[in-house]
Amino acid sequence: EPHAVLRRADRLMLIDPTGVELEPISRADASEYLLIEGPGAQGQVEALEVLLDAAPALKGKVTGAEWVGNRRWNLTFDTDQRLALPQGVDRSAAALISFAQADGVHRLIGGEVASFDMRNPPRMYMNVPGRSERQELSMQAQEEGEET
């Protein structure tokens, strides 16, 4: 039974819940499935499903998962925002649950943050595009105001 799409170097493959390749799939048809990529990701499909089950509120929002360095996941949400999780089954699940709780309170998904990094628990680092430029302009305006 089709479960997800595995990105290969030369094609997209429909895979079952255990990672077994079923058949090639077009990019257009692949959009309705979770996209899994990264060296060794095919062998981690079942573990990914367990991880996503830890935070059911987020599961439907995850559109992609990249297996990084044969040790951890980066998740991509339907908003194109990315979440970097720490390595280890328990640590990644705890980080995902923590992120789900923070999203429930602060509505992180869909906001101005492009990426979230939870590889250094309990901290979460956020990348907001253009934020440093806005801060610099604000500081310049304050300095100009002080000069007059």
Side-chain angles (χ1 to χ4, degrees):
E1 184 174 314
H3 174 72
V5 171
L6 178 68
R7 183 189 310 259
R8 291 264 185 220
D10 59 342
R11 67 189 181 281
L12 298 175
M13 291 296 297
L14 201 54
I15 58 173
D16 76 3
T18 63
V20 173
E21 293 184 14
L22 301 174
E23 62 185 80
I25 187 170
S26 71
R27 185 172 303 279
D29 292 337
S31 64
E32 66 184 83
Y33 294 99
L34 176 66
L35 178 66
I36 299 173
E37 59 188 313
Q42 187 172 0
Q44 298 296 321
V45 174
E46 290 175 295
L48 174 62
E49 193 64 24
V50 171
L51 173 64
L52 295 177
D53 284 342
L58 297 179
K59 189 173 182 176
K61 298 176 182 182
V62 176
T63 59
E66 178 188 14
W67 183 239
V68 181
N70 205 30
R71 66 183 191 283
R72 62 171 202 82
W73 290 104
N74 282 340
L75 303 179
T76 303
F77 298 104
D78 52 11
T79 56
D80 285 332
Q81 293 168 298
R82 181 167 280 198
L83 171 62
L85 294 171
Q87 68 184 52
V89 174
D90 294 337
R91 290 180 67 214
S92 60
L96 187 60
I97 291 167
S98 176
F99 181 82
Q101 291 168 340
D103 180 57
V105 173
H106 303 289
R107 300 287 179 231
L108 301 172
I109 297 176
E112 63 180 310
V113 178
S115 62
F116 307 91
D117 189 337
M118 296 191 72
R119 292 178 289 173
N120 187 16
R123 291 185 165 85
M124 179 189 326
Y125 299 94
M126 295 179 262
N127 175 17
V128 180
R131 183 174 183 188
S132 59
E133 291 83 4
R134 287 194 303 265
Q135 286 178 331
E136 188 175 307
L137 289 172
S138 175
M139 287 176 25
Q140 286 176 354
Q142 286 176 348
E143 288 172 0
E144 288 173 4
E146 291 173 3
E147 291 174 6
T148 57

